[in-house]
Amino acid sequence: MNYISLDDHKKAWVFRHKDLPVSDEDAARIKPMTSERAAVLWSTMVSREFDHPDFFDKTDWCGKEESFSDEVNWEEAWENGDESLPQAILAHLDWQANTTVYFCMARDNVIETTFDVFKRNWQNFMFLADGSLLIGKKRNTVVQFLESGIAKLGEKPSA
């Protein structure tokens, strides 16, 4: 088994927030990974060395300044209740709606969904922005959402 029920996820409340309702259809497509599956994905796509974004350093792509080319304020759009992610983030990612995405918070905490579900519910995910990385399956573009309200736009090395 690769996933746990959304209801069993330790931060499931972000998807039940009364001011930011998530449709039942979208909730069914927000799939937290088991800690074992999350660890495999994290080690493969994020870092073999570090368990959380707080500890990234220059030994991993995600800790290198040159991996990130620009910064965007996501918090302003979030505070304004904007339905869509800031345009600069959407333009940077340029992913199809059905792209499988991974919202990577820590080695044992990764949520899988599709880009269209993420875009519709991005405000809910931002409650979890603590250096979290949004990575697309078979995509090199990446966004790191910082608790400060800044999103770092970047590229991860090709696998």
Side-chain angles (χ1 to χ4, degrees):
M1 184 164 112
N2 289 330
Y3 307 100
I4 61 172
S5 160
L6 185 57
D7 290 334
D8 293 336
H9 189 262
K10 58 189 167 193
K11 305 262 186 182
W13 68 269
V14 305
F15 301 107
R16 290 193 214 104
H17 197 283
K18 64 179 176 61
D19 294 331
L20 297 169
V22 174
S23 73
D24 290 343
E25 182 179 284
D26 281 354
R29 295 172 63 200
I30 297 171
K31 304 185 304 192
M33 293 182 170
T34 62
S35 57
E36 296 81 13
R37 173 69 181 113
V40 169
L41 184 127
W42 182 275
S43 293
T44 304
M45 298 182 87
V46 179
S47 174
R48 292 186 189 279
E49 301 294 320
F50 303 102
D51 293 343
H52 189 276
D54 287 350
F55 307 116
F56 291 158
D57 69 15
K58 295 187 185 318
T59 59
D60 284 306
W61 70 266
C62 41
K64 295 178 181 173
E65 282 185 38
E66 58 268 22
S67 295
F68 298 93
S69 57
D70 205 359
E71 293 185 348
V72 175
N73 184 321
W74 64 260
E75 191 171 41
E76 192 174 297
W78 189 81
E79 300 251 345
N80 290 337
D82 293 357
E83 286 190 25
S84 78
L85 278 161
Q87 188 55 43
I89 294 174
L90 294 172
H92 173 71
L93 295 175
D94 193 30
W95 294 340
Q96 294 80 20
N98 66 347
T99 299
T100 299
V101 300
Y102 308 105
F103 193 76
C104 304
M105 295 161 277
R107 181 177 305 277
D108 64 349
N109 195 0
V110 175
I111 296 175
E112 178 181 316
T113 191
T114 56
F115 192 44
D116 59 339
V117 170
F118 181 84
K119 288 190 302 184
R120 279 194 297 275
N121 302 287
W122 77 277
Q123 292 178 330
N124 303 80
F125 281 93
M126 291 306 99
F127 284 110
L128 307 169
D130 182 18
S132 306
L133 294 159
L134 182 66
I135 297 174
K137 185 176 186 178
K138 298 181 182 174
R139 303 292 190 278
N140 292 336
T141 50
V142 61
V143 176
Q144 184 176 26
F145 295 98
L146 304 176
E147 196 172 10
S148 64
I150 298 298
K152 293 173 23 178
L153 310 181
E155 298 268 335
K156 65 182 187 68
S158 300

PDB file of all heavy atoms in Angstrom, residues 61-72 88-89 91-95 132-136 139-145 150-158:
ATOM      1  N   TRP A  61      20.661  19.394  -4.680  1.00  0.00           N
ATOM      2  CA  TRP A  61      20.216  20.415  -5.642  1.00  0.00           C
ATOM      3  C   TRP A  61      19.301  21.433  -4.971  1.00  0.00           C
ATOM      4  O   TRP A  61      19.360  22.615  -5.281  1.00  0.00           O
ATOM      5  CB  TRP A  61      19.535  19.759  -6.857  1.00  0.00           C
ATOM      6  CG  TRP A  61      18.196  19.148  -6.540  1.00  0.00           C
ATOM      7  CD1 TRP A  61      17.944  17.846  -6.205  1.00  0.00           C
ATOM      8  CD2 TRP A  61      16.937  19.815  -6.487  1.00  0.00           C
ATOM      9  NE1 TRP A  61      16.611  17.673  -5.948  1.00  0.00           N
ATOM     10  CE2 TRP A  61      15.960  18.851  -6.122  1.00  0.00           C
ATOM     11  CE3 TRP A  61      16.519  21.124  -6.721  1.00  0.00           C
ATOM     12  CZ2 TRP A  61      14.611  19.164  -5.987  1.00  0.00           C
ATOM     13  CZ3 TRP A  61      15.175  21.439  -6.586  1.00  0.00           C
ATOM     14  CH2 TRP A  61      14.237  20.462  -6.224  1.00  0.00           C
ATOM     15  N   CYS A  62      18.449  20.988  -4.064  1.00  0.00           N
ATOM     16  CA  CYS A  62      17.451  21.865  -3.452  1.00  0.00           C
ATOM     17  C   CYS A  62      18.054  22.830  -2.437  1.00  0.00           C
ATOM     18  O   CYS A  62      17.377  23.765  -1.994  1.00  0.00           O
ATOM     19  CB  CYS A  62      16.324  21.053  -2.827  1.00  0.00           C
ATOM     20  SG  CYS A  62      16.882  19.582  -1.959  1.00  0.00           S
ATOM     21  N   GLY A  63      19.319  22.652  -2.103  1.00  0.00           N
ATOM     22  CA  GLY A  63      19.986  23.570  -1.200  1.00  0.00           C
ATOM     23  C   GLY A  63      20.912  24.542  -1.903  1.00  0.00           C
ATOM     24  O   GLY A  63      21.519  25.403  -1.268  1.00  0.00           O
ATOM     25  N   LYS A  64      21.008  24.411  -3.214  1.00  0.00           N
ATOM     26  CA  LYS A  64      21.911  25.275  -3.985  1.00  0.00           C
ATOM     27  C   LYS A  64      21.154  26.485  -4.523  1.00  0.00           C
ATOM     28  O   LYS A  64      20.090  26.337  -5.139  1.00  0.00           O
ATOM     29  CB  LYS A  64      22.505  24.496  -5.161  1.00  0.00           C
ATOM     30  CG  LYS A  64      23.397  23.360  -4.739  1.00  0.00           C
ATOM     31  CD  LYS A  64      23.922  22.591  -5.943  1.00  0.00           C
ATOM     32  CE  LYS A  64      24.789  21.434  -5.481  1.00  0.00           C
ATOM     33  NZ  LYS A  64      25.184  20.573  -6.598  1.00  0.00           N
ATOM     34  N   GLU A  65      21.715  27.663  -4.292  1.00  0.00           N
ATOM     35  CA  GLU A  65      21.084  28.899  -4.774  1.00  0.00           C
ATOM     36  C   GLU A  65      20.884  28.864  -6.287  1.00  0.00           C
ATOM     37  O   GLU A  65      19.875  29.360  -6.784  1.00  0.00           O
ATOM     38  CB  GLU A  65      21.932  30.115  -4.393  1.00  0.00           C
ATOM     39  CG  GLU A  65      21.778  30.530  -2.957  1.00  0.00           C
ATOM     40  CD  GLU A  65      22.540  31.799  -2.640  1.00  0.00           C
ATOM     41  OE1 GLU A  65      22.567  32.713  -3.494  1.00  0.00           O
ATOM     42  OE2 GLU A  65      23.105  31.870  -1.539  1.00  0.00           O
ATOM     43  N   GLU A  66      21.831  28.292  -7.005  1.00  0.00           N
ATOM     44  CA  GLU A  66      21.741  28.284  -8.468  1.00  0.00           C
ATOM     45  C   GLU A  66      20.608  27.400  -8.994  1.00  0.00           C
ATOM     46  O   GLU A  66      20.251  27.472 -10.176  1.00  0.00           O
ATOM     47  CB  GLU A  66      23.075  27.905  -9.115  1.00  0.00           C
ATOM     48  CG  GLU A  66      23.621  26.554  -8.708  1.00  0.00           C
ATOM     49  CD  GLU A  66      24.578  26.601  -7.509  1.00  0.00           C
ATOM     50  OE1 GLU A  66      24.544  27.555  -6.713  1.00  0.00           O
ATOM     51  OE2 GLU A  66      25.348  25.631  -7.365  1.00  0.00           O
ATOM     52  N   SER A  67      20.013  26.582  -8.145  1.00  0.00           N
ATOM     53  CA  SER A  67      18.859  25.780  -8.558  1.00  0.00           C
ATOM     54  C   SER A  67      17.600  26.630  -8.701  1.00  0.00           C
ATOM     55  O   SER A  67      16.626  26.205  -9.311  1.00  0.00           O
ATOM     56  CB  SER A  67      18.591  24.653  -7.558  1.00  0.00           C
ATOM     57  OG  SER A  67      19.646  23.721  -7.540  1.00  0.00           O
ATOM     58  N   PHE A  68      17.628  27.821  -8.131  1.00  0.00           N
ATOM     59  CA  PHE A  68      16.448  28.697  -8.120  1.00  0.00           C
ATOM     60  C   PHE A  68      16.779  30.007  -8.815  1.00  0.00           C
ATOM     61  O   PHE A  68      17.795  30.635  -8.532  1.00  0.00           O
ATOM     62  CB  PHE A  68      15.970  28.923  -6.679  1.00  0.00           C
ATOM     63  CG  PHE A  68      15.544  27.639  -6.026  1.00  0.00           C
ATOM     64  CD1 PHE A  68      16.440  26.896  -5.261  1.00  0.00           C
ATOM     65  CD2 PHE A  68      14.264  27.144  -6.203  1.00  0.00           C
ATOM     66  CE1 PHE A  68      16.062  25.697  -4.678  1.00  0.00           C
ATOM     67  CE2 PHE A  68      13.875  25.941  -5.634  1.00  0.00           C
ATOM     68  CZ  PHE A  68      14.769  25.218  -4.867  1.00  0.00           C
ATOM     69  N   SER A  69      15.901  30.413  -9.733  1.00  0.00           N
ATOM     70  CA  SER A  69      16.181  31.576 -10.567  1.00  0.00           C
ATOM     71  C   SER A  69      15.355  32.811 -10.224  1.00  0.00           C
ATOM     72  O   SER A  69      15.716  33.914 -10.607  1.00  0.00           O
ATOM     73  CB  SER A  69      15.940  31.211 -12.037  1.00  0.00           C
ATOM     74  OG  SER A  69      14.603  30.754 -12.193  1.00  0.00           O
ATOM     75  N   ASP A  70      14.258  32.629  -9.520  1.00  0.00           N
ATOM     76  CA  ASP A  70      13.374  33.761  -9.261  1.00  0.00           C
ATOM     77  C   ASP A  70      12.564  33.501  -7.995  1.00  0.00           C
ATOM     78  O   ASP A  70      12.468  32.362  -7.533  1.00  0.00           O
ATOM     79  CB  ASP A  70      12.426  33.970 -10.457  1.00  0.00           C
ATOM     80  CG  ASP A  70      11.914  35.402 -10.559  1.00  0.00           C
ATOM     81  OD1 ASP A  70      12.268  36.246  -9.714  1.00  0.00           O
ATOM     82  OD2 ASP A  70      11.138  35.666 -11.497  1.00  0.00           O
ATOM     83  N   GLU A  71      11.979  34.581  -7.480  1.00  0.00           N
ATOM     84  CA  GLU A  71      11.108  34.470  -6.311  1.00  0.00           C
ATOM     85  C   GLU A  71       9.812  35.222  -6.579  1.00  0.00           C
ATOM     86  O   GLU A  71       9.812  36.240  -7.257  1.00  0.00           O
ATOM     87  CB  GLU A  71      11.791  35.065  -5.061  1.00  0.00           C
ATOM     88  CG  GLU A  71      12.988  34.272  -4.604  1.00  0.00           C
ATOM     89  CD  GLU A  71      13.586  34.804  -3.308  1.00  0.00           C
ATOM     90  OE1 GLU A  71      13.217  35.915  -2.871  1.00  0.00           O
ATOM     91  OE2 GLU A  71      14.432  34.091  -2.740  1.00  0.00           O
ATOM     92  N   VAL A  72       8.727  34.684  -6.041  1.00  0.00           N
ATOM     93  CA  VAL A  72       7.397  35.258  -6.209  1.00  0.00           C
ATOM     94  C   VAL A  72       6.719  35.276  -4.841  1.00  0.00           C
ATOM     95  O   VAL A  72       6.880  34.327  -4.067  1.00  0.00           O
ATOM     96  CB  VAL A  72       6.549  34.385  -7.183  1.00  0.00           C
ATOM     97  CG1 VAL A  72       5.128  34.876  -7.282  1.00  0.00           C
ATOM     98  CG2 VAL A  72       7.199  34.311  -8.549  1.00  0.00           C
ATOM     99  N   ALA A  88       3.041  34.078 -12.262  1.00  0.00           N
ATOM    100  CA  ALA A  88       4.464  33.768 -12.451  1.00  0.00           C
ATOM    101  C   ALA A  88       4.763  32.307 -12.116  1.00  0.00           C
ATOM    102  O   ALA A  88       5.599  31.676 -12.764  1.00  0.00           O
ATOM    103  CB  ALA A  88       5.331  34.701 -11.611  1.00  0.00           C
ATOM    104  N   ILE A  89       4.078  31.756 -11.119  1.00  0.00           N
ATOM    105  CA  ILE A  89       4.271  30.349 -10.756  1.00  0.00           C
ATOM    106  C   ILE A  89       3.701  29.456 -11.852  1.00  0.00           C
ATOM    107  O   ILE A  89       4.345  28.503 -12.301  1.00  0.00           O
ATOM    108  CB  ILE A  89       3.631  30.038  -9.385  1.00  0.00           C
ATOM    109  CG1 ILE A  89       4.365  30.798  -8.271  1.00  0.00           C
ATOM    110  CG2 ILE A  89       3.636  28.522  -9.124  1.00  0.00           C
ATOM    111  CD1 ILE A  89       3.719  30.680  -6.902  1.00  0.00           C
ATOM    112  N   ALA A  91       3.236  30.188 -14.999  1.00  0.00           N
ATOM    113  CA  ALA A  91       4.060  30.309 -16.200  1.00  0.00           C
ATOM    114  C   ALA A  91       5.356  29.522 -16.058  1.00  0.00           C
ATOM    115  O   ALA A  91       5.808  28.871 -17.004  1.00  0.00           O
ATOM    116  CB  ALA A  91       4.350  31.784 -16.485  1.00  0.00           C
ATOM    117  N   HIS A  92       5.937  29.546 -14.872  1.00  0.00           N
ATOM    118  CA  HIS A  92       7.191  28.814 -14.639  1.00  0.00           C
ATOM    119  C   HIS A  92       6.975  27.307 -14.771  1.00  0.00           C
ATOM    120  O   HIS A  92       7.761  26.617 -15.417  1.00  0.00           O
ATOM    121  CB  HIS A  92       7.742  29.151 -13.246  1.00  0.00           C
ATOM    122  CG  HIS A  92       8.927  28.323 -12.858  1.00  0.00           C
ATOM    123  ND1 HIS A  92      10.169  28.485 -13.436  1.00  0.00           N
ATOM    124  CD2 HIS A  92       9.056  27.314 -11.957  1.00  0.00           C
ATOM    125  CE1 HIS A  92      11.009  27.612 -12.907  1.00  0.00           C
ATOM    126  NE2 HIS A  92      10.356  26.888 -12.004  1.00  0.00           N
ATOM    127  N   LEU A  93       5.913  26.810 -14.170  1.00  0.00           N
ATOM    128  CA  LEU A  93       5.677  25.366 -14.199  1.00  0.00           C
ATOM    129  C   LEU A  93       5.216  24.902 -15.567  1.00  0.00           C
ATOM    130  O   LEU A  93       5.709  23.904 -16.083  1.00  0.00           O
ATOM    131  CB  LEU A  93       4.672  24.976 -13.111  1.00  0.00           C
ATOM    132  CG  LEU A  93       5.157  25.203 -11.682  1.00  0.00           C
ATOM    133  CD1 LEU A  93       4.045  24.907 -10.686  1.00  0.00           C
ATOM    134  CD2 LEU A  93       6.386  24.350 -11.375  1.00  0.00           C
ATOM    135  N   ASP A  94       4.234  25.585 -16.136  1.00  0.00           N
ATOM    136  CA  ASP A  94       3.725  25.241 -17.470  1.00  0.00           C
ATOM    137  C   ASP A  94       3.439  23.742 -17.600  1.00  0.00           C
ATOM    138  O   ASP A  94       3.842  23.104 -18.575  1.00  0.00           O
ATOM    139  CB  ASP A  94       4.703  25.721 -18.552  1.00  0.00           C
ATOM    140  CG  ASP A  94       4.084  25.667 -19.944  1.00  0.00           C
ATOM    141  OD1 ASP A  94       2.854  25.831 -20.055  1.00  0.00           O
ATOM    142  OD2 ASP A  94       4.836  25.441 -20.923  1.00  0.00           O
ATOM    143  N   TRP A  95       2.763  23.172 -16.603  1.00  0.00           N
ATOM    144  CA  TRP A  95       2.428  21.759 -16.596  1.00  0.00           C
ATOM    145  C   TRP A  95       0.999  21.554 -17.082  1.00  0.00           C
ATOM    146  O   TRP A  95       0.139  22.414 -16.909  1.00  0.00           O
ATOM    147  CB  TRP A  95       2.530  21.185 -15.192  1.00  0.00           C
ATOM    148  CG  TRP A  95       3.917  21.155 -14.611  1.00  0.00           C
ATOM    149  CD1 TRP A  95       5.104  21.220 -15.281  1.00  0.00           C
ATOM    150  CD2 TRP A  95       4.256  21.055 -13.226  1.00  0.00           C
ATOM    151  NE1 TRP A  95       6.143  21.150 -14.393  1.00  0.00           N
ATOM    152  CE2 TRP A  95       5.659  21.060 -13.129  1.00  0.00           C
ATOM    153  CE3 TRP A  95       3.502  20.960 -12.059  1.00  0.00           C
ATOM    154  CZ2 TRP A  95       6.327  20.958 -11.904  1.00  0.00           C
ATOM    155  CZ3 TRP A  95       4.166  20.866 -10.847  1.00  0.00           C
ATOM    156  CH2 TRP A  95       5.565  20.859 -10.775  1.00  0.00           C
ATOM    157  N   SER A 132       8.211  23.586   1.689  1.00  0.00           N
ATOM    158  CA  SER A 132       7.662  22.485   0.897  1.00  0.00           C
ATOM    159  C   SER A 132       7.955  22.669  -0.585  1.00  0.00           C
ATOM    160  O   SER A 132       7.876  23.773  -1.118  1.00  0.00           O
ATOM    161  CB  SER A 132       6.158  22.392   1.117  1.00  0.00           C
ATOM    162  OG  SER A 132       5.879  22.296   2.492  1.00  0.00           O
ATOM    163  N   LEU A 133       8.247  21.563  -1.234  1.00  0.00           N
ATOM    164  CA  LEU A 133       8.558  21.568  -2.668  1.00  0.00           C
ATOM    165  C   LEU A 133       7.393  20.983  -3.457  1.00  0.00           C
ATOM    166  O   LEU A 133       6.856  19.938  -3.075  1.00  0.00           O
ATOM    167  CB  LEU A 133       9.802  20.727  -2.939  1.00  0.00           C
ATOM    168  CG  LEU A 133      11.105  21.261  -2.365  1.00  0.00           C
ATOM    169  CD1 LEU A 133      12.130  20.147  -2.236  1.00  0.00           C
ATOM    170  CD2 LEU A 133      11.651  22.382  -3.229  1.00  0.00           C
ATOM    171  N   LEU A 134       7.042  21.652  -4.550  1.00  0.00           N
ATOM    172  CA  LEU A 134       6.076  21.101  -5.498  1.00  0.00           C
ATOM    173  C   LEU A 134       6.876  20.609  -6.692  1.00  0.00           C
ATOM    174  O   LEU A 134       7.522  21.394  -7.391  1.00  0.00           O
ATOM    175  CB  LEU A 134       5.059  22.156  -5.930  1.00  0.00           C
ATOM    176  CG  LEU A 134       3.985  21.635  -6.896  1.00  0.00           C
ATOM    177  CD1 LEU A 134       3.089  20.597  -6.209  1.00  0.00           C
ATOM    178  CD2 LEU A 134       3.145  22.782  -7.440  1.00  0.00           C
ATOM    179  N   ILE A 135       6.824  19.284  -6.880  1.00  0.00           N
ATOM    180  CA  ILE A 135       7.606  18.632  -7.924  1.00  0.00           C
ATOM    181  C   ILE A 135       6.649  17.874  -8.829  1.00  0.00           C
ATOM    182  O   ILE A 135       5.721  17.221  -8.356  1.00  0.00           O
ATOM    183  CB  ILE A 135       8.628  17.652  -7.300  1.00  0.00           C
ATOM    184  CG1 ILE A 135       9.615  18.433  -6.432  1.00  0.00           C
ATOM    185  CG2 ILE A 135       9.331  16.838  -8.364  1.00  0.00           C
ATOM    186  CD1 ILE A 135      10.578  17.558  -5.652  1.00  0.00           C
ATOM    187  N   GLY A 136       6.866  17.972 -10.125  1.00  0.00           N
ATOM    188  CA  GLY A 136       6.048  17.241 -11.080  1.00  0.00           C
ATOM    189  C   GLY A 136       6.746  15.974 -11.539  1.00  0.00           C
ATOM    190  O   GLY A 136       7.969  15.957 -11.707  1.00  0.00           O
ATOM    191  N   ARG A 139       9.199  15.999 -14.576  1.00  0.00           N
ATOM    192  CA  ARG A 139       9.344  17.430 -14.879  1.00  0.00           C
ATOM    193  C   ARG A 139      10.554  17.955 -14.104  1.00  0.00           C
ATOM    194  O   ARG A 139      10.839  17.489 -13.000  1.00  0.00           O
ATOM    195  CB  ARG A 139       8.111  18.237 -14.449  1.00  0.00           C
ATOM    196  CG  ARG A 139       6.788  17.772 -15.046  1.00  0.00           C
ATOM    197  CD  ARG A 139       6.740  18.025 -16.558  1.00  0.00           C
ATOM    198  NE  ARG A 139       5.436  17.821 -17.139  1.00  0.00           N
ATOM    199  CZ  ARG A 139       4.924  16.648 -17.485  1.00  0.00           C
ATOM    200  NH1 ARG A 139       5.595  15.540 -17.275  1.00  0.00           N
ATOM    201  NH2 ARG A 139       3.739  16.563 -18.038  1.00  0.00           N
ATOM    202  N   ASN A 140      11.243  18.921 -14.691  1.00  0.00           N
ATOM    203  CA  ASN A 140      12.403  19.499 -14.018  1.00  0.00           C
ATOM    204  C   ASN A 140      12.074  20.781 -13.266  1.00  0.00           C
ATOM    205  O   ASN A 140      12.796  21.151 -12.345  1.00  0.00           O
ATOM    206  CB  ASN A 140      13.535  19.758 -15.016  1.00  0.00           C
ATOM    207  CG  ASN A 140      14.119  18.453 -15.537  1.00  0.00           C
ATOM    208  OD1 ASN A 140      14.022  17.417 -14.894  1.00  0.00           O
ATOM    209  ND2 ASN A 140      14.706  18.498 -16.713  1.00  0.00           N
ATOM    210  N   THR A 141      11.011  21.476 -13.679  1.00  0.00           N
ATOM    211  CA  THR A 141      10.658  22.701 -12.982  1.00  0.00           C
ATOM    212  C   THR A 141      10.096  22.361 -11.608  1.00  0.00           C
ATOM    213  O   THR A 141       9.473  21.317 -11.408  1.00  0.00           O
ATOM    214  CB  THR A 141       9.631  23.536 -13.776  1.00  0.00           C
ATOM    215  OG1 THR A 141       8.549  22.694 -14.166  1.00  0.00           O
ATOM    216  CG2 THR A 141      10.261  24.186 -14.993  1.00  0.00           C
ATOM    217  N   VAL A 142      10.350  23.246 -10.658  1.00  0.00           N
ATOM    218  CA  VAL A 142       9.963  23.010  -9.272  1.00  0.00           C
ATOM    219  C   VAL A 142       9.673  24.354  -8.614  1.00  0.00           C
ATOM    220  O   VAL A 142      10.184  25.381  -9.058  1.00  0.00           O
ATOM    221  CB  VAL A 142      11.088  22.245  -8.522  1.00  0.00           C
ATOM    222  CG1 VAL A 142      12.365  23.036  -8.492  1.00  0.00           C
ATOM    223  CG2 VAL A 142      10.665  21.846  -7.136  1.00  0.00           C
ATOM    224  N   VAL A 143       8.827  24.332  -7.593  1.00  0.00           N
ATOM    225  CA  VAL A 143       8.578  25.519  -6.781  1.00  0.00           C
ATOM    226  C   VAL A 143       8.753  25.123  -5.326  1.00  0.00           C
ATOM    227  O   VAL A 143       8.278  24.063  -4.898  1.00  0.00           O
ATOM    228  CB  VAL A 143       7.153  26.083  -6.996  1.00  0.00           C
ATOM    229  CG1 VAL A 143       6.897  27.270  -6.066  1.00  0.00           C
ATOM    230  CG2 VAL A 143       6.935  26.496  -8.441  1.00  0.00           C
ATOM    231  N   GLN A 144       9.458  25.971  -4.580  1.00  0.00           N
ATOM    232  CA  GLN A 144       9.574  25.772  -3.138  1.00  0.00           C
ATOM    233  C   GLN A 144       8.785  26.880  -2.454  1.00  0.00           C
ATOM    234  O   GLN A 144       9.039  28.067  -2.668  1.00  0.00           O
ATOM    235  CB  GLN A 144      11.030  25.792  -2.680  1.00  0.00           C
ATOM    236  CG  GLN A 144      11.153  25.491  -1.198  1.00  0.00           C
ATOM    237  CD  GLN A 144      12.586  25.398  -0.720  1.00  0.00           C
ATOM    238  OE1 GLN A 144      13.495  25.989  -1.286  1.00  0.00           O
ATOM    239  NE2 GLN A 144      12.792  24.639   0.347  1.00  0.00           N
ATOM    240  N   PHE A 145       7.807  26.478  -1.653  1.00  0.00           N
ATOM    241  CA  PHE A 145       6.948  27.419  -0.938  1.00  0.00           C
ATOM    242  C   PHE A 145       7.484  27.620   0.472  1.00  0.00           C
ATOM    243  O   PHE A 145       7.520  26.671   1.260  1.00  0.00           O
ATOM    244  CB  PHE A 145       5.508  26.906  -0.888  1.00  0.00           C
ATOM    245  CG  PHE A 145       4.859  26.823  -2.236  1.00  0.00           C
ATOM    246  CD1 PHE A 145       4.797  25.617  -2.924  1.00  0.00           C
ATOM    247  CD2 PHE A 145       4.307  27.956  -2.819  1.00  0.00           C
ATOM    248  CE1 PHE A 145       4.189  25.538  -4.173  1.00  0.00           C
ATOM    249  CE2 PHE A 145       3.702  27.889  -4.066  1.00  0.00           C
ATOM    250  CZ  PHE A 145       3.641  26.680  -4.740  1.00  0.00           C
ATOM    251  N   ILE A 150       7.069  33.551   0.382  1.00  0.00           N
ATOM    252  CA  ILE A 150       7.813  33.594  -0.878  1.00  0.00           C
ATOM    253  C   ILE A 150       7.838  32.203  -1.498  1.00  0.00           C
ATOM    254  O   ILE A 150       7.953  31.199  -0.793  1.00  0.00           O
ATOM    255  CB  ILE A 150       9.268  34.078  -0.634  1.00  0.00           C
ATOM    256  CG1 ILE A 150       9.288  35.500  -0.071  1.00  0.00           C
ATOM    257  CG2 ILE A 150      10.125  33.962  -1.894  1.00  0.00           C
ATOM    258  CD1 ILE A 150       8.696  36.551  -0.989  1.00  0.00           C
ATOM    259  N   ALA A 151       7.727  32.167  -2.821  1.00  0.00           N
ATOM    260  CA  ALA A 151       7.899  30.924  -3.576  1.00  0.00           C
ATOM    261  C   ALA A 151       9.156  31.072  -4.417  1.00  0.00           C
ATOM    262  O   ALA A 151       9.319  32.069  -5.130  1.00  0.00           O
ATOM    263  CB  ALA A 151       6.692  30.665  -4.475  1.00  0.00           C
ATOM    264  N   LYS A 152      10.046  30.107  -4.309  1.00  0.00           N
ATOM    265  CA  LYS A 152      11.268  30.104  -5.110  1.00  0.00           C
ATOM    266  C   LYS A 152      11.032  29.225  -6.333  1.00  0.00           C
ATOM    267  O   LYS A 152      10.648  28.064  -6.203  1.00  0.00           O
ATOM    268  CB  LYS A 152      12.442  29.588  -4.288  1.00  0.00           C
ATOM    269  CG  LYS A 152      12.805  30.528  -3.162  1.00  0.00           C
ATOM    270  CD  LYS A 152      13.861  30.025  -2.188  1.00  0.00           C
ATOM    271  CE  LYS A 152      14.808  28.985  -2.607  1.00  0.00           C
ATOM    272  NZ  LYS A 152      15.804  28.607  -1.585  1.00  0.00           N
ATOM    273  N   LEU A 153      11.246  29.807  -7.509  1.00  0.00           N
ATOM    274  CA  LEU A 153      11.060  29.090  -8.767  1.00  0.00           C
ATOM    275  C   LEU A 153      12.392  28.494  -9.182  1.00  0.00           C
ATOM    276  O   LEU A 153      13.407  29.196  -9.236  1.00  0.00           O
ATOM    277  CB  LEU A 153      10.552  30.053  -9.850  1.00  0.00           C
ATOM    278  CG  LEU A 153       9.343  30.921  -9.472  1.00  0.00           C
ATOM    279  CD1 LEU A 153       8.933  31.797 -10.650  1.00  0.00           C
ATOM    280  CD2 LEU A 153       8.186  30.073  -8.983  1.00  0.00           C
ATOM    281  N   GLY A 154      12.376  27.208  -9.482  1.00  0.00           N
ATOM    282  CA  GLY A 154      13.636  26.570  -9.790  1.00  0.00           C
ATOM    283  C   GLY A 154      13.558  25.422 -10.772  1.00  0.00           C
ATOM    284  O   GLY A 154      12.500  25.144 -11.352  1.00  0.00           O
ATOM    285  N   GLU A 155      14.708  24.801 -10.943  1.00  0.00           N
ATOM    286  CA  GLU A 155      14.858  23.636 -11.817  1.00  0.00           C
ATOM    287  C   GLU A 155      15.658  22.609 -11.033  1.00  0.00           C
ATOM    288  O   GLU A 155      16.686  22.937 -10.445  1.00  0.00           O
ATOM    289  CB  GLU A 155      15.656  23.999 -13.071  1.00  0.00           C
ATOM    290  CG  GLU A 155      15.037  25.040 -13.954  1.00  0.00           C
ATOM    291  CD  GLU A 155      14.173  24.445 -15.047  1.00  0.00           C
ATOM    292  OE1 GLU A 155      14.405  23.278 -15.420  1.00  0.00           O
ATOM    293  OE2 GLU A 155      13.272  25.147 -15.511  1.00  0.00           O
ATOM    294  N   LYS A 156      15.180  21.387 -11.052  1.00  0.00           N
ATOM    295  CA  LYS A 156      15.984  20.330 -10.462  1.00  0.00           C
ATOM    296  C   LYS A 156      16.743  19.634 -11.595  1.00  0.00           C
ATOM    297  O   LYS A 156      16.308  19.669 -12.748  1.00  0.00           O
ATOM    298  CB  LYS A 156      15.136  19.358  -9.639  1.00  0.00           C
ATOM    299  CG  LYS A 156      14.129  18.544 -10.387  1.00  0.00           C
ATOM    300  CD  LYS A 156      13.341  17.681  -9.405  1.00  0.00           C
ATOM    301  CE  LYS A 156      12.438  16.722 -10.109  1.00  0.00           C
ATOM    302  NZ  LYS A 156      13.077  15.669 -10.847  1.00  0.00           N
ATOM    303  N   PRO A 157      17.883  19.052 -11.280  1.00  0.00           N
ATOM    304  CA  PRO A 157      18.661  18.395 -12.332  1.00  0.00           C
ATOM    305  C   PRO A 157      17.877  17.240 -12.966  1.00  0.00           C
ATOM    306  O   PRO A 157      17.059  16.606 -12.286  1.00  0.00           O
ATOM    307  CB  PRO A 157      19.899  17.888 -11.614  1.00  0.00           C
ATOM    308  CG  PRO A 157      19.776  18.258 -10.186  1.00  0.00           C
ATOM    309  CD  PRO A 157      18.454  18.936  -9.973  1.00  0.00           C
ATOM    310  N   SER A 158      18.141  16.986 -14.201  1.00  0.00           N
ATOM    311  CA  SER A 158      17.504  15.842 -14.869  1.00  0.00           C
ATOM    312  C   SER A 158      17.943  14.564 -14.191  1.00  0.00           C
ATOM    313  O   SER A 158      19.091  14.430 -13.773  1.00  0.00           O
ATOM    314  CB  SER A 158      17.904  15.798 -16.343  1.00  0.00           C
ATOM    315  OG  SER A 158      17.489  16.976 -16.990  1.00  0.00           O
TER     316      SER A 158
END
